[in-house]
Amino acid sequence: MQTDKTTAVVLSGGGAKGAFQAGALQVLREQGYRFDIVSGVSVGTLNGAMLATDQMSTLIEIWENLSPDQVLREQSLFSIARKYLTYKIGIGKPPLSKFSNAPLQQLLRKYLLNKKVAIPFHFGFVKLETGEYIQAVVRHDNDHRIDDADLNRILASTAIPVIFNPVIQDDSIWVDGGLRNISPIKEVLPFNPDQVVIIPTEPIDEAPDAVEVRDIIQIAFQAITIMLDEIFEEDIDRFLSINSLVEQAEEAGLILKKSNGSPYKYIDPIIIAPQESLGSAVDFENNRLRALLELGRERASKVLSEIAK
């Protein structure tokens, strides 16, 4: 059962595997956990936005009833090639992705537009031209409600390059924040939480499953996946390493300080990660999503029961 500790939740990316996160979040809420700050990236941004607007039950309903056509619209390689050729001869616009995320944009508008933000919500996206990671915040003060500008940034945080359409804003191309920050832990640390719940969508320190890569799209997607997994591992390891050093120092009666002179604080980590690979990030088949929800519930229940011992 949750205590009165200040609690942050960090939600990493993973596309369709975000159903696992939603199942875990459901169990956390049922066991009394209330979050003081949410940080997410990619699908973690979508789940985080629903959590920050106090729509936990609706989030579960969405994942339980979601179908592929509500998230993406696939374009054939022939269609992509034709668009590219016509663009090269000066007719039309170039192809930008394998899938159109217009259905996802409609879903976001339906469930998030004008919703009141209850707790601080941090996420991010990348400016593709420069590679700059832009930390975004949805305000929770002055009765702020999610507006179109917020929705654009949230959609950008989910836009995996080559796979989904980027968001074009102010002559800049915005894409998935997971390219630079797959598990955005550092955004919650300035809030000085007593504990942080981290819910990734892939196992920690596990060799990835082999996947079939035959065409250019599959090659690009697998390359991005490998890169994101590496960033994720580094983020988690860095946090746990520093946290362990702080704990050891406190036990020895010492205080570790940051470069600005402020002390580091030990933060109770609660990591709810799957124990085996969850598979494809773009397979939104409904039965699979329901299975991932249940896996998230089971894993969260097990982790929390071990903590309670």
Side-chain angles (χ1 to χ4, degrees), residues 66-175:
L66 201 62
S67 59
D69 60 354
Q70 292 178 288
V71 181
L72 45 81
R73 186 181 304 123
E74 185 172 5
Q75 302 179 83
S76 68
L77 286 176
F78 175 77
S79 174
I80 294 172
R82 183 175 60 187
K83 283 184 178 181
Y84 181 75
L85 289 174
T86 56
Y87 163 70
K88 293 301 289 184
I89 63 175
I91 304 173
K93 297 180 179 181
L96 298 177
S97 66
K98 170 68 171 175
F99 299 96
S100 167
N101 50 9
L104 176 59
Q105 188 173 22
Q106 294 174 4
L107 199 68
L108 292 179
R109 292 187 65 84
K110 178 179 179 180
Y111 289 103
L112 289 175
L113 187 62
N114 294 323
K115 296 297 182 180
K116 185 178 178 180
V117 181
I119 55 179
F121 174 43
H122 290 242
F123 60 102
F125 57 89
V126 170
K127 284 189 174 183
L128 194 58
E129 299 93 335
T130 63
E132 179 185 7
Y133 179 79
I134 306 298
Q135 181 177 335
V137 181
V138 174
R139 304 195 326 270
H140 73 293
D141 56 343
N142 299 321
D143 292 325
H144 177 71
R145 295 178 181 272
I146 289 183
D147 55 27
D148 284 312
D150 293 326
L151 286 180
N152 270 345
R153 293 180 296 160
I154 290 171
L155 185 65
S157 184
T158 71
I160 303 171
V162 182
I163 307 304
F164 296 121
N165 293 342
V167 171
I168 310 298
Q169 185 74 28
D170 301 325
D171 296 324
S172 181
I173 300 174
W174 296 354
V175 296

Side-chain angles (χ1 to χ4, degrees), residues 2-8 34-36 193-195 268:
Q2 165 70 321
T3 67
D4 58 358
K5 290 182 178 180
T6 300
T7 305
R34 294 296 180 267
F35 302 110
D36 299 282
D194 298 311
Q195 61 186 2
D268 288 333

Side-chain angles (χ1 to χ4, degrees), residues 29-289:
R29 290 297 294 269
E30 289 172 352
Q31 295 203 21
Y33 281 77
R34 294 296 180 267
F35 302 110
D36 299 282
I37 178 174
V38 180
S39 178
V41 70
S42 196
V43 73
T45 299
L46 304 183
N47 287 334
M50 294 294 291
L51 195 62
T53 53
D54 198 21
Q55 298 189 83
M56 188 68 241
S57 60
T58 302
L59 175 62
I60 298 302
E61 291 175 6
I62 291 172
W63 281 109
E64 285 179 338
N65 297 291
L66 201 62
S67 59
D69 60 354
Q70 292 178 288
V71 181
L72 45 81
R73 186 181 304 123
E74 185 172 5
Q75 302 179 83
S76 68
L77 286 176
F78 175 77
S79 174
I80 294 172
R82 183 175 60 187
K83 283 184 178 181
Y84 181 75
L85 289 174
T86 56
Y87 163 70
K88 293 301 289 184
I89 63 175
I91 304 173
K93 297 180 179 181
L96 298 177
S97 66
K98 170 68 171 175
F99 299 96
S100 167
N101 50 9
L104 176 59
Q105 188 173 22
Q106 294 174 4
L107 199 68
L108 292 179
R109 292 187 65 84
K110 178 179 179 180
Y111 289 103
L112 289 175
L113 187 62
N114 294 323
K115 296 297 182 180
K116 185 178 178 180
V117 181
I119 55 179
F121 174 43
H122 290 242
F123 60 102
F125 57 89
V126 170
K127 284 189 174 183
L128 194 58
E129 299 93 335
T130 63
E132 179 185 7
Y133 179 79
I134 306 298
Q135 181 177 335
V137 181
V138 174
R139 304 195 326 270
H140 73 293
D141 56 343
N142 299 321
D143 292 325
H144 177 71
R145 295 178 181 272
I146 289 183
D147 55 27
D148 284 312
D150 293 326
L151 286 180
N152 270 345
R153 293 180 296 160
I154 290 171
L155 185 65
S157 184
T158 71
I160 303 171
V162 182
I163 307 304
F164 296 121
N165 293 342
V167 171
I168 310 298
Q169 185 74 28
D170 301 325
D171 296 324
S172 181
I173 300 174
W174 296 354
V175 296
D176 194 330
L179 292 179
R180 294 290 303 273
N181 199 19
I182 191 62
S183 190
I185 300 169
K186 64 181 180 182
E187 278 80 357
V188 306
L189 299 183
F191 288 80
N192 210 30
D194 298 311
Q195 61 186 2
V196 57
V197 179
I198 304 172
I199 312 180
T201 58
E202 280 297 317
I204 297 174
D205 297 327
E206 291 278 341
D209 290 345
V211 299
E212 185 178 56
V213 286
R214 289 187 174 181
D215 61 47
I216 188 172
I217 299 298
Q218 292 174 338
I219 291 170
F221 186 60
Q222 178 64 1
I224 292 171
T225 298
I226 292 170
M227 179 183 64
L228 296 185
D229 285 346
E230 178 66 21
I231 296 172
F232 157 71
E233 293 281 354
E234 290 178 359
D235 282 352
I236 299 290
D237 287 346
R238 186 182 303 111
F239 167 70
L240 293 179
S241 294
I242 294 175
N243 212 35
S244 177
L245 290 173
V246 172
E247 182 179 33
Q248 292 176 48
E250 289 178 352
E251 290 173 351
L254 303 173
I255 298 176
L256 293 183
K257 293 186 178 181
K258 304 174 187 177
S259 58
N260 62 6
S262 62
Y264 278 102
K265 172 186 175 180
Y266 176 78
I267 301 170
D268 288 333
I270 301 175
I271 301 178
I272 303 175
Q275 294 180 295
E276 58 185 27
S277 176
L278 299 182
S280 172
V282 292
D283 180 2
F284 288 88
E285 194 274 324
N286 184 257
N287 287 335
R288 175 176 184 256
L289 298 181

